[in-house]
Amino acid sequence: MIRYIGKRFIMMAITLWVIATLTFVLMNLIPGDPFTSEKKYSEEILNNLRAEYNLNEPLPTQYVLYLKDLAQFDLGPSIKQASRGVNDLIAEGFPVSAVLGIEAMIIAVIIGLFLGIIASLQQNKPLDYLAMFLAVIGLSVPSFVIAPLFQKYFGVEWELLPLAGWNGFEYTILPAIALSSLPLALVTRLMRSNMLEVLGQDYIRTARAKGLSPYFVVSRHTVRNAILPVVTIIGPLAIGILTGSFVIEKIFAIPGIGKHFVESISNRDYPVIMGMTIFYSALLIMVNFLVDIAYSWIDPRIKLGGKEAK
Amino acid sequence: MSKSKWLKRSLAIGIASSMIFTAACTGGGEESKKKSGSEEMAEEQVLTTARLKSEPPALDPAKAEDSSSGTIVRSVMEGLARVDENGIPEPGVAEKWEISEDGKKITFHLRDTKWSNGDAVTAGDFEYAWKRVLDPKTAAPYAYQLHYLKNGKAYNEGKGKAEDVGVKAVDDKTLEVELEKPAPYFVSLTAFYTLMPVNKKVVEENAKWGTEADSYVSNGPFVLDTWEHDKKVVLKKNDNYYGKDRVKLDQINMPVVPDEQTGLQQFDTGEFDEGDKTIIPADLADKLIKEEKAVASPIIGTYAYEFNVEKEPFTNSKIRKAFSMAIDRKSIVENVSLSGEKPATGWIPWEMPDVHAEKPWLESGDYKPFISETAQAEDAKKLLEEGMKEEGYKELPDVTLSYNTSDGHKKIAEAVQQMLKKNLGVDVKLKNSEWKVFLEEKGNGDFQMARFGWLPDYIDPMTFMDMYETDSGQNDPSFSNKEYDKLIKEAKSTIDQEVRMEAMRKAEQVLMDEMPVAPVYFYTESHMSKDYVKDVVYTVDGQVDFSEAYITKH
């Protein structure tokens, strides 16, 4: 196991390096730079500005300088936000996005699993239809439509919850629900179909025939087997929520990290583009690793680093 | 209880309780709103304004270059002069100033003023701040605003020494400024944020003084009390400000409001007292203005299309002019842009003062509209034929109109495309590019006809004129005209306002005859405020001044 983890970490480092290099190259291929603007800077002022961010150096030198800083976990300054570094942007914005994302994931997974299980046990009955109806809405109505509706009713009409901002738990409720709608629908549908498949298996029939209680059959035999594919998609879903929260963060005026990810590209804020990409890649790689670990815990037949186990 | 019964029951309880909850809360929402017409000042002078669409990127005057930072810097700092709503300079930290006869030397006399930390504001602080902006190591983006100083440009370009720059503190209360050439608008420029003073002692002790609220020291009507990045800025009244009796607001809250729709709802529920485009969605502007909920004030600025005079068919001035004449500017303003703009009748926008006539440019005695507000289809067609004959075209070369990604630009470009088809019989292709790609291509001359917008660097017609000089870096159409260059040179060499204004009027005539740029409309800036908010000043350069604002009882 330890050997497996060590190997995985080396692979992760290499993956990150490849991503960083590719991003660096691609980013410099896009037309325009951080200082392209409608009011043009004179050659000399541009020169001063570029010098401050090492942009006058040849690209290979810039690349080496960047990697050097990166090795010390310094992601550099933000060019657009002159007063802050990329590390600051992440340190301030990520915890906010993470709180929102985790809340949304908890809602999506718990309610999604619950709805999926109910739907499968009540197949083709009203509860099943209700759950599937909710899932269709979650899948087809984008969050930027759901969010303003929430604001209108819960915020303006009924004055139940704050419209926007970030000042405590009550401010997280609406955005977390809006953000969870899509993953919730996905989890519901996936869980339902997995459950139905498992429920039709011979061993479930055997278990029932043995006289085990329906509750025991469902909780021990069905759910445990049906949940594995759901765990697989939770990793990418979690990352999707963290990176895809840009729209929700904008609508609810949440000081998260999503907008830096999007705006850095239109601003050509090179260090922020690099920093955000590397940070998210590291996150994605970590989450995938955790999902793999979770597999072997849920299903003991799955062996990590199977080859050595021979 | 069987499994399914249990599920049904718990679900039923859940639905019922959520219905009760909802009903209870609906009742709570009908709380009546207090209103009164009293003009008396409210006890609590706290204004919450929606003017930050995003985090202000830099509040250090040397680094600021965008309007959100500018709004804050202008509230917390004060320069030698202030400008009133018409852009006319009035005393600020400088009580008075003298300008030498040749217009090249200005002596500012400072009044007794203090920094928010109690230090005295000295002429030395200004000298330090300006040289700091010009220092190449500071990499100040707007350093060119100080290139008027003698040797200022050279120092900024690393070719001169700081000692030779034309700004000197004679003593604590006297600042002597030497200019390279006369610049009659230099005094008004001292109100611009790049030229604001900084506290020398504070900056030397901590290079990052301008990045957090607790290290920020200022000398304006307000101080930076709180700066929560990406979240909010709070300003408080500055008790050390010399004009504090004039300042009535105790606190200004500026939360970051990234989404206009959300912002508008927050304004409606009373969370905001005042705001600008940050809470006025573009597609609702027209409706809000008609309902008199929003006001569109004229600002100095022109929306236009530039023609690349080096790319066919726009190498011919008659063809350029024909295209311009085929545009129905009135219809664009009334049916497309819809924010109270004015059809452009020339290049220099409304509200730009003619300093000699002491009137706005478009209202001074000798102003004649250069362009008709409506399309001139017949004349345009005739001109196009003449132009095509001159160039020997049997058929007009393909024309592509470029603009950068935005709904507003797209709608206007589509309207212009239709007008050119209808009034001129020309099919124009549209090309949409991402902002920086668009700028890069336009800057490289890789366009035929492209969207353009220009806002002033300072309040003088010159900021709209010298960009089309032959060797100007801002001259994307590659326009070059000897007569034009001569007139601009003439205007730049004198401080006689009559001569300057006259030369620029003639130059504008040349520009509109040659038509490297087809003006479309003059800009407005829309804002909204509750009726209990008084005396917020909206200046012609699109800025806001809260220094005398107050709130009445409501």
Side-chain angles (χ1 to χ4, degrees):
Chain A
M1 184 75 167
I2 290 171
R3 208 166 147 191
Y4 168 77
I5 292 176
K7 242 181 161 180
R8 277 289 294 257
F9 270 90
I10 294 170
M11 282 310 292
M12 285 184 205
I14 295 173
T15 315
L16 273 183
W17 170 72
V18 171
I19 290 171
T21 310
L22 274 177
T23 311
F24 187 87
V25 173
L26 290 174
M27 166 183 97
N28 278 290
L29 286 176
I30 326 176
D33 70 22
F35 309 113
T36 314
S37 76
E38 189 146 46
K39 283 215 161 112
K40 291 192 191 96
Y41 300 114
S42 71
E43 230 12 82
E44 292 74 17
I45 289 177
L46 211 54
N47 209 31
N48 294 341
L49 284 165
R50 295 178 63 90
E52 173 150 322
Y53 299 100
N54 292 331
L55 295 176
N56 284 335
E57 307 288 339
L59 272 189
T61 316
Q62 287 183 39
Y63 173 69
V64 172
L65 285 173
Y66 188 80
L67 286 189
K68 252 188 205 162
D69 285 345
L70 186 61
Q72 297 162 39
F73 297 101
D74 178 4
L75 296 170
S78 161
I79 298 178
K80 177 80 198 302
Q81 300 201 22
S83 49
R84 296 156 87 197
V86 181
N87 290 38
D88 299 331
L89 295 183
I90 294 175
E92 287 162 19
F94 183 65
V96 173
S97 292
V99 165
L100 189 62
I102 290 168
E103 260 185 51
M105 271 321 277
I106 291 175
I107 297 172
V109 172
I110 294 182
I111 301 186
L113 289 180
F114 182 68
L115 285 178
I117 293 170
I118 292 175
S120 66
L121 296 176
Q122 299 277 312
Q123 198 187 357
N124 296 334
K125 290 189 189 151
L127 277 181
D128 182 22
Y129 294 138
L130 180 69
M132 283 306 101
F133 174 70
L134 288 176
V136 168
I137 290 189
L139 282 176
S140 51
V141 184
S143 57
F144 61 82
V145 174
I146 294 180
L149 283 175
F150 279 3
Q151 286 182 324
K152 183 169 161 45
Y153 289 101
F154 291 95
V156 180
E157 303 270 324
W158 305 330
E159 294 184 31
L160 271 176
L161 288 163
L163 255 177
W166 193 255
N167 283 315
F169 178 69
E170 70 265 33
Y171 287 82
T172 66
I173 301 172
L174 290 184
I177 297 176
L179 196 54
S180 68
S181 65
L182 179 71
L184 192 153
L186 286 172
V187 170
T188 305
R189 286 175 61 113
L190 193 62
M191 193 60 193
R192 177 179 178 271
S193 60
N194 292 338
M195 283 286 292
L196 289 176
E197 200 187 319
V198 175
L199 284 170
Q201 301 279 332
D202 289 345
Y203 67 89
I204 298 291
R205 236 170 292 151
T206 312
R208 282 193 178 136
K210 280 200 297 187
L212 290 175
S213 80
Y215 175 78
F216 191 82
V217 172
V218 169
S219 65
R220 274 303 175 81
H221 293 298
T222 325
V223 172
R224 193 163 179 153
N225 285 301
I227 211 167
L228 207 58
V230 178
V231 173
T232 314
I233 66 157
I234 283 178
L237 265 188
I239 294 301
I241 274 196
L242 289 172
T243 49
S245 55
F246 169 64
V247 175
I248 291 297
E249 287 181 3
K250 181 169 182 256
I251 294 176
F252 288 99
I254 293 166
I257 201 172
K259 71 165 173 301
H260 299 309
F261 201 52
V262 176
E263 284 172 5
S264 64
I265 297 166
S266 51
N267 291 330
R268 306 285 190 274
D269 196 337
Y270 293 152
V272 183
I273 299 179
M274 291 297 292
M276 291 293 152
T277 314
I278 292 172
F279 178 71
Y280 273 119
S281 310
L283 214 57
L284 182 63
I285 293 170
M286 255 340 265
V287 169
N288 278 336
F289 170 68
L290 292 177
V291 166
D292 287 350
I293 302 271
Y295 275 176
S296 70
W297 177 65
I298 295 172
D299 186 345
R301 284 175 305 171
I302 297 174
K303 294 253 178 345
L304 294 177
K307 274 183 190 160
E308 292 100 289
K310 261 193 261 180
Chain B
M1 198 193 298
S2 82
K3 177 184 65 200
S4 64
K5 262 189 189 160
W6 173 78
L7 282 171
K8 268 183 200 163
R9 188 168 294 176
S10 36
L11 209 70
I13 292 170
I15 291 173
S17 54
S18 69
M19 279 166 74
I20 293 165
F21 187 51
T22 312
C25 299
T26 319
E30 286 160 15
E31 197 187 322
S32 69
K33 281 175 187 138
K34 283 176 261 165
K35 219 169 204 173
S36 86
S38 150
E39 286 296 295
E40 233 179 295
M41 264 177 64
E43 263 166 47
E44 208 184 36
Q45 289 295 320
V46 178
L47 179 85
T48 303
T49 179
R51 288 193 165 261
L52 299 184
K53 202 166 167 54
S54 57
E55 154 92 353
L59 297 186
D60 180 339
K63 290 282 182 184
E65 58 168 328
D66 65 292
S67 61
S68 6
S69 306
T71 301
I72 298 172
V73 175
R74 281 170 66 117
S75 301
V76 297
M77 290 286 187
E78 181 154 302
L80 292 167
R82 309 170 52 83
V83 285
D84 70 4
E85 56 193 311
N86 301 314
I88 308 297
E90 47 186 46
V93 173
E95 220 165 7
K96 55 185 194 290
W97 48 85
E98 294 117 32
I99 304 176
S100 67
E101 263 180 38
D102 64 358
K104 286 188 182 174
K105 192 170 157 188
I106 310 173
T107 312
F108 291 96
H109 300 280
L110 277 58
R111 64 175 100 219
D112 286 328
T113 59
K114 278 186 184 162
W115 289 102
S116 51
N117 66 357
D119 295 353
V121 177
T122 65
D125 288 330
F126 280 92
E127 180 185 339
Y128 173 75
W130 291 7
K131 286 183 175 169
R132 177 170 172 263
V133 168
L134 287 171
D135 186 343
K137 283 200 205 83
T138 309
Y142 276 8
Y144 68 90
Q145 296 282 32
L146 276 166
H147 284 186
Y148 301 96
L149 298 184
K150 197 174 165 194
N151 298 317
K153 190 160 183 267
Y155 176 48
N156 188 224
E157 291 171 0
K159 294 171 199 151
K161 283 184 290 194
E163 303 90 271
D164 301 334
V165 175
V167 55
K168 204 173 110 203
V170 179
D171 55 49
D172 276 358
K173 295 272 164 285
T174 318
L175 187 75
E176 247 178 40
V177 177
E178 274 188 87
L179 304 180
E180 200 77 55
K181 277 185 286 194
Y185 43 84
F186 187 81
V187 174
S188 72
L189 206 55
T190 64
F192 188 71
Y193 45 82
T194 309
L195 279 76
M196 298 289 184
V198 293
N199 185 320
K200 186 177 171 191
K201 210 177 75 194
V202 170
V203 179
E204 280 179 342
E205 274 169 18
N206 174 14
K208 290 194 153 260
W209 71 281
T211 60
E212 300 295 338
D214 47 14
S215 53
Y216 199 91
V217 172
S218 67
N219 74 328
F222 300 95
V223 291
L224 186 64
D225 180 70
T226 312
W227 184 5
E228 284 181 44
H229 297 293
D230 288 317
K231 208 170 145 190
K232 68 173 178 192
V233 169
V234 177
L235 309 182
K236 289 231 166 108
K237 184 173 173 172
N238 179 4
D239 287 327
N240 279 323
Y241 181 56
Y242 72 92
K244 67 173 174 191
D245 296 343
R246 224 176 43 210
V247 182
K248 298 174 193 92
L249 290 177
D250 291 319
Q251 185 173 330
I252 305 176
N253 302 321
M254 297 189 181
V256 174
V257 188
D259 185 74
E260 300 96 348
Q261 291 283 0
T262 306
L264 183 60
Q265 290 192 337
Q266 286 175 293
F267 178 83
D268 286 340
T269 54
E271 276 183 58
F272 297 135
D273 306 310
E274 198 265 357
D276 61 357
K277 275 183 301 198
T278 308
I279 52 169
I280 305 180
D283 48 353
L284 290 182
D286 184 44
K287 184 172 162 268
L288 293 170
I289 292 168
K290 281 193 184 130
E291 286 170 358
E292 294 183 359
K293 274 177 85 182
V295 181
S297 356
I299 58 157
I300 301 175
T302 308
Y303 189 98
Y305 286 100
E306 285 190 326
F307 300 112
N308 187 347
V309 306
E310 288 184 338
K311 285 260 160 84
E312 288 190 31
F314 299 120
T315 43
N316 185 290
S317 66
K318 285 186 178 156
I319 297 179
R320 298 197 292 266
K321 215 165 171 186
F323 269 66
S324 166
M325 285 165 90
I327 300 174
D328 190 334
R329 294 161 169 84
K330 195 160 180 274
S331 165
I332 288 179
V333 168
E334 285 171 4
N335 304 310
V336 190
S337 64
L338 294 170
S339 290
E341 297 92 345
K342 179 183 160 49
T345 50
W347 171 236
I348 295 184
W350 59 357
E351 307 301 316
M352 175 64 87
D354 173 331
V355 190
H356 176 64
E358 294 180 342
K359 273 183 183 164
W361 189 258
L362 304 193
E363 288 167 26
S364 76
D366 27 6
Y367 181 80
K368 292 183 295 295
F370 298 102
I371 305 172
S372 160
E373 292 190 354
T374 50
Q376 312 278 294
E378 290 315 306
D379 296 345
K381 268 186 203 150
K382 223 160 73 191
L383 215 53
L384 180 67
E385 272 168 33
E386 283 175 35
M388 285 174 67
K389 207 182 256 173
E390 281 177 17
E391 299 294 316
Y393 296 144
K394 288 222 174 76
E395 220 176 294
L396 196 71
D398 286 346
V399 173
T400 303
L401 186 162
S402 316
Y403 62 93
N404 57 291
T405 315
S406 125
D407 274 351
H409 300 327
K410 181 168 180 248
K411 281 183 198 155
I412 295 172
E414 284 167 353
V416 168
Q417 184 187 37
Q418 277 177 16
M419 289 168 186
L420 291 171
K421 174 79 190 157
K422 188 179 137 215
N423 299 333
L424 216 51
V426 177
D427 284 311
V428 170
K429 280 193 214 111
L430 298 185
K431 184 186 169 200
N432 159 28
S433 317
E434 188 260 359
W435 179 228
K436 296 251 178 181
V437 175
F438 171 80
L439 289 176
E440 183 96 350
E441 289 180 351
K442 189 159 168 281
N444 294 336
D446 190 7
F447 73 101
Q448 286 175 293
M449 181 180 180
R451 185 208 71 80
F452 185 56
W454 192 248
L455 297 168
D457 281 338
Y458 47 88
I459 299 175
D460 189 274
M462 187 53 85
T463 184
F464 278 80
M465 300 307 285
D466 63 358
M467 56 193 291
Y468 289 120
E469 276 184 297
T470 301
D471 54 3
S472 155
Q474 196 68 48
N475 183 355
D476 287 342
S478 306
F479 176 67
S480 176
N481 182 291
K482 280 193 186 128
E483 174 70 10
Y484 188 82
D485 288 353
K486 204 187 102 204
L487 287 163
I488 299 303
K489 209 173 156 197
E490 189 185 321
K492 280 189 169 177
S493 59
T494 174
I495 51 163
D496 184 329
Q497 295 289 19
E498 191 177 0
V499 177
R500 289 182 68 237
M501 296 299 140
E502 181 60 25
M504 284 193 277
R505 269 185 207 286
K506 284 185 185 155
E508 191 181 10
Q509 179 73 57
V510 176
L511 196 69
M512 292 296 97
D513 285 342
E514 290 292 318
M515 202 56 75
V517 57
V520 176
Y521 62 70
F522 299 142
Y523 280 108
T524 49
E525 184 80 38
S526 18
H527 36 81
M528 284 168 84
S529 73
K530 300 280 183 190
D531 51 11
Y532 53 79
V533 179
K534 307 285 177 195
D535 287 1
V536 176
V537 174
Y538 306 101
T539 62
V540 286
D541 51 347
Q543 298 285 347
V544 61
D545 183 351
F546 293 113
S547 61
E548 293 183 29
Y550 63 97
I551 289 174
T552 57
K553 281 193 175 155
H554 56 278

